[in-house]
Amino acid sequence: MSNYFKWFYNILITNNVSEDVALYLNLLINLIILIVVLLLIDFILKRIIIRAFKVFTIKTKTTYDDYLVQSNFPKYIAHIIPFIILRKLIPYVLTDFEIWKNFFIKATDVYLIILMVWIFRSLLRTTKEYLKQKDYFKDKPLDSYAQVIVIFLWFVGAIFIFSEITGQSILKFLATFGAASAILLLIFRDTILGFVASIQVSINDMVRIGDWITMDNYGADGDVVEINLATVKVSNWDLTITTIPTYALISDSFKNWRGMQESGGRRIKRAFIIKTNSIKFLTDKDLKKFSKIQILTDYIAHRQSDIDKYNTEHNSDRSVIVNGRNQTNLGLFRKYCDLYLNEHSAINKDMMIMTRHLEPTSKGVPLEIYTFSKDKRWINYEHIMADIFEHLIATVSHFDLELFQEPSSKDFQELSSKFK
């Protein structure tokens, strides 16, 4: 077959051209013809294969083949045949140039190895994008797994390339690699930590794509939009992007709001402080006044009946108000808060509703509201919470209670003016 590639050489020799010049000119012409033919074959195959894939994707219901086209799989497949042809013809084209022949054979083999890695990487990318459309895999860190497999593919490809270039066996390369493993572990420390973290995050179901997480150490407060081998990307509520090392999810503390999002409501937990000196026992006159609050009418009557019965049975001396049992304005207000929350249309009645005292402080007695809103959307949640506390804060004074507030400069000015 080599005679077919010496046609121009024979013509030159018959025309008394020197042998060296004839060899180089023959090589140049053969290379030009070979490159043009291979480019033409590559172009035709590419058009045929890509068009065939597009026709096939239109006729099929699955979207997998659509992702194959997007990941350049048909284009990579089209490159295989021209390079196989090139690999077969190089020994004949360069038959009189042994050094060049060995170099181009090795270069072609290396490219074919890289091309195979690209093809497998394209299949992997296609599979990843296809699985992302499935509900079960939407919140899984597929990018992390894909990156690990790509690294492994390139590692295997590098072994074969090393073996092809050096002519050494793959076992010898692996032995050399084992000796340098300590250095490689140091270089790929973050990648290895990220890989281990990705597996732990997935197995323990710590974080999914779409979860709202808060991580104060990194200033992250928003939705997880991507989990890959090295980093976790969080889209914060102020539209900034925070990048967190994947291994930080298992080494540091963070808050995942998924439980709230999957539950029947979003927690409202906030307290206001009641001034201690405004708390008092209620007299009959006070009870009569507070009974006009419709939500408390039945409660006051029932509660006072129980108290009167208890005091009678125990012969409590009611001339001193602290004797026996009594109602207080703070206790009545606490009950008002419970009843108000139970009647509020935006509160989830199937979840906890509680108004409680916290430990008294030098500022007063904290009264905490602990309940859950039906609507978990941030804006609506804030509106519901504001509506509740605006009402309760405005109601405090109707129970002869006062809220604690740090004195301002105006307060001091008014105080000093009284003593002038």
Side-chain angles (χ1 to χ4, degrees), residues 12-281:
L12 294 174
I13 290 296
T14 56
N15 287 279
N16 299 320
V17 178
S18 66
E19 187 174 346
D20 290 340
V21 174
L23 281 173
Y24 283 102
L25 288 175
N26 182 72
L27 175 62
L28 178 62
I29 293 299
N30 284 333
L31 287 176
I32 292 173
I33 294 173
L34 182 61
I35 290 171
V36 170
V37 171
L38 289 177
L39 288 176
L40 185 62
I41 293 173
D42 182 72
F43 176 77
I44 294 172
L45 285 174
K46 193 188 302 181
R47 293 292 295 271
I48 292 173
I49 293 175
I50 291 176
R51 186 178 292 265
F53 260 89
K54 288 183 177 179
V55 172
F56 181 72
T57 56
I58 293 172
K59 292 183 178 181
T60 58
K61 294 181 179 180
T62 180
T63 57
Y64 189 85
D65 42 21
D66 297 319
Y67 291 116
L68 277 176
V69 175
Q70 293 176 12
S71 62
N72 295 323
F73 179 79
K75 184 179 75 174
Y76 294 143
I77 293 295
H79 288 328
I80 294 178
I81 296 177
F83 271 90
I84 291 177
I85 295 173
L86 177 63
R87 175 64 177 78
K88 295 294 183 182
L89 294 181
I90 282 176
Y92 301 106
V93 176
L94 300 173
T95 185
D96 297 314
F97 301 89
E98 198 65 29
I99 296 177
W100 289 16
K101 181 175 71 174
N102 294 332
F103 172 78
F104 279 104
I105 286 175
K106 288 182 181 297
T108 306
D109 289 343
V110 167
Y111 180 81
L112 285 172
I113 293 171
I114 294 173
L115 183 59
M116 293 306 297
V117 173
W118 284 345
I119 290 172
F120 282 113
R121 187 185 65 177
S122 174
L123 285 171
L124 179 64
R125 188 183 304 163
T126 300
T127 305
K128 179 189 71 176
E129 296 300 327
Y130 175 74
L131 291 178
K132 279 184 176 180
Q133 306 306 312
K134 302 295 182 182
D135 292 337
Y136 181 77
F137 293 98
K138 277 184 177 180
D139 52 6
K140 300 296 185 294
L142 296 177
D143 290 321
S144 298
Y145 301 144
Q147 287 176 339
V148 172
I149 297 173
V150 168
I151 291 173
F152 177 75
L153 285 174
W154 280 113
F155 175 72
V156 173
I159 293 175
F160 281 97
I161 291 172
F162 170 82
S163 177
E164 183 65 33
I165 293 175
T166 62
Q168 302 292 333
S169 68
I170 293 175
L171 293 176
K172 188 172 182 179
F173 174 81
L174 292 175
T176 306
F177 177 78
S181 58
I183 298 174
L184 290 171
L185 286 173
L186 183 62
I187 294 173
F188 294 103
R189 172 181 171 274
D190 289 344
T191 302
I192 295 170
L193 287 174
F195 173 57
V196 174
S198 296
I199 294 175
Q200 289 184 326
V201 165
S202 178
I203 291 176
N204 297 322
D205 199 20
M206 296 168 64
V207 176
R208 302 174 188 167
I209 294 174
D211 281 357
W212 170 16
I213 68 170
T214 303
M215 201 167 190
D216 295 334
N217 291 350
Y218 292 89
D221 185 12
D223 291 336
V224 175
V225 294
E226 182 180 331
I227 302 175
N228 56 43
L229 194 61
T231 59
V232 174
K233 289 184 180 179
V234 178
S235 177
N236 298 312
W237 303 122
D238 59 0
L239 302 183
T240 58
I241 300 292
T242 298
T243 302
I244 304 170
T246 306
Y247 58 80
L249 295 177
I250 59 174
S251 61
D252 295 341
S253 175
F254 70 95
K255 183 184 288 186
N256 191 330
W257 296 81
R258 187 200 312 158
M260 178 275 293
Q261 293 173 324
E262 293 178 350
S263 69
R266 184 169 178 178
R267 188 181 70 176
I268 297 174
K269 182 176 180 289
R270 183 175 291 182
F272 43 82
I273 300 175
I274 304 295
K275 289 179 69 174
T276 308
N277 59 7
S278 68
I279 302 172
K280 65 177 183 178
F281 289 120

